């Protein structure tokens, strides 16, 4: 809305602008992804303090002018900080990867309440079980593809329309097929891997993490390979930061 607005927001990324200012990319509850200017944000005694750190949840006051791509941040108060997670380089890499996906997948200024809730739930789960951040990254990828419309129907075979059960195959047409229809062509997902993918869409992240404790590394890697292929095809290139995550998995 043109004028002064207030909303909750997550900080996704910041860039230096001139000597004392920052450009801040935010995921807001009411306006989707916004790009904003924070005047004086890099000064020693900035009024923004630590509120513009990666994935900090803030109460944001911003001003929007008609015809301007960038909005102007008037005030930002911390609701919840995840700054303590940045002490771990692996967590920083994972969070930076997730923020990049959000920026690349979501059109600017298109609110998506489910996405905001997804980020909230995943960050809480990372805070509770930081050692599981790579599994949570997979959970996030599945849901982001679902919300962005790039996740194939995982319930039924794309060819015969029968309910999928047992091994499934992910084909070049971004579809899932049963064993009979695929005839061995495509990326094979074990029955366990397929079940965990279905569970991700029906469980909150903390509960899903408990479920995947029984998965083998191979089962999870099957799903990772599928989600990364879908992401690369949607973006027409591999996602940024993917190599760093692969090295840690």
């Amino acid at each position: 809305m043109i004028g002064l607005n207030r909303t909750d927001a997550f900080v996704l990324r910041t860039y230096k602008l001139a000597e004392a200012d920052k450009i801040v990319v935010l995921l807001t509850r009411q306006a989707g992804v916004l790009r904003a200017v924070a005047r004086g944000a890099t000064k020693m005694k900035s009024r923004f303090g630590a509120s513009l750190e990666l994935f900090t949840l803030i109460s944001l006051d911003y001003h929007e002018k008609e015809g301007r791509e960038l909005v102007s941040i008037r005030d930002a108060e911390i609701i919840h900080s995840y700054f303590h997670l940045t002490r771990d380089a692996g967590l920083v890499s994972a969070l930076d990867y997730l923020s990049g996906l959000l920026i690349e997948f979501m059109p600017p200024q298109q609110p998506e309440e489910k996405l905001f809730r997804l980020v909230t739930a995943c960050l809480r789960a990372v805070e509770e079980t930081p050692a599981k951040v790579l599994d949570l990254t997979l959970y996030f990828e599945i849901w982001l593809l679902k919300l962005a419309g790039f996740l194939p129907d995982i319930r039924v075979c794309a060819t015969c329309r029968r309910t999928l059960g047992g091994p499934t195959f992910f084909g070049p047409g971004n579809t899932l097929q049963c064993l009979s229809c695929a005839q061995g062509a495509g990326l094979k997902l074990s029955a366990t891997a397929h079940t965990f993918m279905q569970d991700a869409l029906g469980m909150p992240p903390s509960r899903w993490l408990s479920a995947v404790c029984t998965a083998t590394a191979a089962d999870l890697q099957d799903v990772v390979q599928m989600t990364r292929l879908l992401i690369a095809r949607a973006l027409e290139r591999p996602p940024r930061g993917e190599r760093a995550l692969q090295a840690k998995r």
Side-chain angles (χ1 to χ4, degrees):
M1 294 177 62
I2 304 302
L4 188 62
N5 300 277
R6 170 170 287 185
T7 183
D8 292 346
F10 286 105
V11 178
L12 300 182
R13 197 151 290 178
T14 63
Y15 305 92
K16 189 173 181 180
L17 177 67
E19 291 188 5
D21 306 333
K22 280 184 178 181
I23 291 178
V24 186
V25 186
L26 304 136
L27 174 67
T28 70
R29 184 187 294 274
Q30 296 179 351
V33 175
L34 288 180
R35 285 168 170 78
V37 175
R39 302 292 181 188
T42 63
K43 291 181 179 179
M44 185 69 69
K45 295 184 178 180
S46 168
R47 59 195 172 92
F48 297 112
S51 64
L52 301 181
E53 299 294 335
L54 177 64
F55 274 117
T56 301
L57 177 60
I58 59 176
S59 175
L60 173 73
D61 289 339
Y62 69 95
H63 190 270
E64 183 176 5
K65 290 185 178 180
E66 189 172 1
R68 295 281 184 89
E69 181 181 352
L70 295 173
V71 303
S72 179
I73 298 178
R74 294 298 181 86
D75 193 26
E77 295 183 4
I78 295 176
I79 298 174
H80 190 89
S81 173
Y82 295 93
F83 183 73
H84 57 287
L85 298 179
T86 62
R87 299 169 190 158
D88 185 304
L91 288 176
V92 173
S93 295
L95 293 176
D96 188 64
Y97 171 75
L98 296 184
S99 71
L101 288 182
L102 285 166
I103 293 168
E104 293 181 298
F105 266 86
M106 306 313 298
Q109 300 191 27
Q110 290 192 19
E112 175 56 78
E113 177 67 23
K114 287 184 179 179
L115 181 63
F116 195 89
R117 294 202 306 267
L118 171 66
V119 173
T120 302
C122 285
L123 285 174
R124 286 175 180 167
V126 170
E127 191 171 39
E128 292 169 0
T129 53
K132 294 290 187 180
V133 67
L134 292 182
D135 291 342
L136 281 164
T137 299
L138 175 57
Y139 178 94
F140 182 88
E141 288 174 333
I142 293 169
W143 262 106
L144 183 64
L145 288 165
K146 171 74 173 177
L147 294 175
F150 292 104
L151 187 71
D153 191 340
I154 64 175
R155 299 166 300 174
V156 298
C157 173
T159 302
C160 69
R161 307 307 294 173
R162 293 179 181 174
T163 300
L164 287 170
T168 58
F169 290 82
F170 174 64
N174 290 354
T175 60
L176 286 176
Q177 292 179 303
C178 65
L179 178 63
S180 176
C181 293
Q183 296 184 346
L187 171 65
K188 183 179 180 180
L189 301 174
S190 69
T192 302
H194 183 257
T195 296
F196 284 132
M197 189 162 52
Q198 288 181 309
D199 288 345
L201 297 178
M203 296 179 179
S206 55
R207 184 180 165 197
W208 186 76
L209 284 177
S210 298
V212 298
C213 284
T214 61
T216 66
D219 288 329
L220 291 179
Q221 190 57 43
D222 286 346
V223 185
V224 169
Q225 191 173 350
M226 174 181 158
T227 59
R228 299 290 162 80
L229 280 170
L230 286 166
I231 290 169
R233 289 171 184 174
L235 299 178
E236 298 184 346
R237 57 169 173 75
R240 294 185 177 93
E242 178 188 20
R243 289 184 179 179
L245 291 185
Q246 286 178 335
K248 295 178 185 300
R249 182 169 284 277

